[in-house]
Amino acid sequence: MPSYFVETSACRYPVLVERGGLRNVRQFIPERAGKAFLISTEDVWKLHGAALARAIGDHPHEILFFPGGEPRKRLAEVETLAEQMVARGGDRSSVIVAFGGGILTDVAGFLAAIFMRGIPVIQIPTTLLAQVDAAIGGKTGVNLACGKNLLGSFHQPLAVIIDPGVLDTLPEREYRAGLFEIIKHGVIADADLFWLMSREPQRVMSHAPEVVDRMICDSVRIKAEVVSGDEKEQDRRRILNFGHTFGHALEAETGYSQFLHGEAVAWGMKAATLLGAKERLLSVEDKQEILRCVNSYGPLPPLAGIDPARIAARLKSDKKTVQGKIHFVLPERIGAVKITADVQERFVAAAIEEALTC
Ligand SMILES: NC(=O)c1ccc[n+]([C@@H]2O[C@H](COP(=O)([O-])OP(=O)(O)OC[C@H]3O[C@@H](n4cnc5c(N)ncnc54)[C@H](O)[C@@H]3O)[C@@H](O)[C@H]2O)c1
C-alpha cells in the first residue's frame, strides 16, 4: 500500500495507508522518546485498543481516555488530559499517540501542540472522516462556546497511520459522514474520484475494500498535496473549505448536536453548488450532478424549521471571514473550484433557502 508525504517548510512526514498498518506504529516513535501517551475514546479502545497496545509492545506507555463528542471538544478537557499526563510521568520527552475520530485527533493534537510548549504526536485516525481529512495537515484545536475550532494551533504530526480495516466497526451514519468529505475532494480537485462516488454508490456503501482503499488513497493524496503547498491556509489550502463555510454556520445554528460534521458539510456543499450556479460559474448539468451525488449518500437529518436568515447572519462570524468579507469556495466545474468574495448577497440568501429543501 502506498505512503504519501506532507512536506512543509519545517517538516516532512509520511501518511501511511495500509490494512493492518497499526502494527507499524513503533517505528515512528523516536528512539529517545520517553513515555508514549496513547489517547483514545473508550469505544474505540474497546474495539481496536488491543491491536495498538500489541504494536506499542514494551515501549513505556500510558492509556488516557477523552470522553468524546463535539460538546466536550473544549479546553477544559485538554487541561484534564494534561494534568493526567503530568501525574503519570509525562515530560518533554513524551510522545502522544492520538487514536480515534476527528474530534479525538483534533483534541489530542492540540494537547501535543501545547504540552510543555509542544511534544510530538502520531495520528492514528479511526473514522473515515478523520482518515481522509481531519488527521492530515496539522490543524488541531478545540471549540469555544461561541464557535467551532476557535482555539487551536498548527502542529504537524510525526506520521499519520491509516488502517482502512478499522472502519468495519464504524456506524453507518459516521461512514456516510466521511463519504461527504470524499465527495468534497472529488469536486475540488479530482473529477475521477467524483465519478467513482457518483456511479458506484452500492460498492461504496458495501465497504468494498478496493473502493474504500481507493477513496482513502485519492483523498490522502489530494489533502497531502494541498497542505504541502500551503500549510497555513494562506492560499490554495482554502479550497478544502468547500462546503465548510455554510456547514459551520449550520452546525452553530443547530447547537452542534443535530448534524455530524460531515453531514453539515454535505448541506454546505449543496448551498455552495447552488450559489456557484446562480453566479453563473457552474453549468446547470454539473450543478445537478453534484446535488445528485450528495443526495445519494443521504438522508441528512431534517432541515425543516431552520431559519435561512439566521444561517446567512452566522456566515459573517465564521473565523474565515476577514474584515466582514466572506470568502466562498464555489465550484466552476466538477474537479475545480474558485475562491471568491465577490458574490451577490441576494444569491447567498437564495442558495441557503434552496439548499434547505433540495
Ligand atoms: N483538523 C482538521 O483539519 C479537521 C478536518 C475535518 C474535520 N475536523 C474535525 O473532526 C471532527 C469530526 O470527526 P469525526 O467525524 O471523526 O467524529 P468523531 O470524532 O466524533 O467520531 C465519530 C464517532 O465514532 C466513534 N468511532 C471512531 N472510530 C471508530 C471505529 N473505528 N469504530 C467504531 N466507532 C468509532 C467515535 O468514538 C465517535 O463516537 C469535528 O470536530 C471536525 O471539526 C477537523
Side-chain angles (χ1 to χ4, degrees):
M1 275 258 191
S3 280
Y4 301 86
F5 287 89
V6 175
E7 201 158 357
T8 71
S9 53
C11 69
R12 179 176 195 264
Y13 62 89
V15 184
L16 189 79
V17 185
E18 185 183 342
R19 288 184 179 258
L22 276 183
R23 66 173 168 266
N24 298 306
V25 64
R26 187 79 180 259
Q27 78 188 67
F28 296 107
I29 296 183
E31 229 168 74
R32 286 160 184 254
K35 264 193 179 169
F37 284 85
L38 317 187
I39 303 185
S40 191
T41 47
E42 287 193 21
D43 55 350
V44 169
W45 190 260
K46 271 194 199 119
L47 291 164
H48 303 289
L52 181 59
R54 247 192 329 274
I56 293 282
D58 59 3
H59 188 95
H61 65 274
E62 301 280 344
I63 301 156
L64 302 180
F65 292 113
F66 162 72
E70 201 67 50
R72 304 295 287 271
K73 190 179 165 185
R74 300 295 300 271
L75 196 56
E77 300 294 342
V78 176
E79 200 175 331
T80 302
L81 288 166
E83 298 278 11
Q84 291 173 357
M85 283 180 67
V86 174
R88 299 206 204 172
D91 61 22
R92 281 184 177 169
S93 70
S94 302
V95 55
I96 287 178
V97 178
F99 187 49
I103 294 181
L104 186 282
T105 57
D106 273 9
V107 169
F110 186 48
L111 172 61
I114 59 176
F115 186 79
M116 302 206 176
R117 299 208 175 82
I119 60 171
V121 61
I122 296 169
Q123 293 284 10
I124 310 185
T126 61
T127 60
L128 183 58
L129 185 135
Q131 293 190 342
V132 299
D133 195 359
I136 307 161
K139 273 195 193 177
T140 70
V142 293
N143 302 329
L144 290 179
C146 59
K148 207 166 142 65
N149 300 331
L150 292 184
L151 289 183
S153 169
F154 287 96
H155 188 57
Q156 301 294 345
L158 291 177
V160 183
I161 301 173
I162 296 174
D163 179 350
V166 300
L167 301 179
D168 290 344
T169 56
L170 198 63
E172 189 185 291
R173 186 177 169 201
E174 299 288 350
Y175 181 68
R176 286 177 192 269
L179 293 174
F180 294 124
E181 294 279 5
I182 298 172
I183 295 173
K184 175 191 85 176
H185 287 136
V187 173
I188 64 174
D190 188 338
D192 288 344
L193 176 59
F194 176 86
W195 291 118
L196 172 79
M197 302 294 295
S198 173
R199 292 181 180 147
E200 303 273 7
Q202 288 87 359
R203 289 173 74 212
V204 169
M205 285 312 298
S206 66
H207 289 231
E210 65 287 1
V211 175
V212 172
D213 293 2
R214 176 170 162 207
M215 292 187 306
I216 293 174
C217 286
D218 284 351
S219 292
V220 168
R221 173 181 45 74
I222 292 165
K223 179 118 195 210
E225 182 262 313
V226 171
V227 170
S228 296
D230 177 25
E231 181 193 6
K232 299 268 166 80
E233 202 173 307
Q234 304 296 309
D235 186 24
R236 183 163 155 77
R237 188 167 180 171
R238 292 183 295 168
I239 68 171
L240 296 168
N241 294 325
F242 172 54
H244 284 60
T245 311
F246 288 107
H248 282 168
L250 181 68
E251 278 182 290
E253 182 60 23
T254 51
Y256 301 103
S257 57
Q258 199 172 327
F259 292 86
L260 299 178
H261 175 72
E263 291 170 341
V265 169
W267 178 80
M269 288 194 290
K270 294 206 284 183
T273 297
L274 290 161
L275 180 57
K278 287 181 196 306
E279 289 287 342
R280 295 189 183 278
L281 289 171
L282 183 71
S283 70
V284 175
E285 294 74 30
D286 279 4
K287 172 186 89 171
Q288 275 158 354
E289 290 291 354
I290 296 171
L291 296 178
R292 201 182 56 74
C293 183
V294 172
N295 285 337
S296 70
Y297 292 101
L300 297 178
L303 291 147
I306 294 169
D307 182 352
R310 289 178 58 96
I311 304 251
R314 280 187 185 271
L315 290 177
K316 301 211 162 118
S317 61
D318 191 272
K319 71 176 182 303
K320 276 138 196 158
T321 300
V322 182
Q323 292 172 348
K325 279 236 170 243
I326 308 167
H327 285 84
F328 292 96
V329 183
L330 303 181
E332 291 184 300
R333 60 187 151 79
I334 291 165
V337 285
K338 174 180 178 175
I339 300 166
T340 178
D342 187 18
V343 298
Q344 299 192 47
E345 259 187 50
R346 67 192 172 100
F347 285 163
V348 175
I352 292 174
E353 189 138 13
E354 206 176 324
L356 291 173
T357 53
C358 76

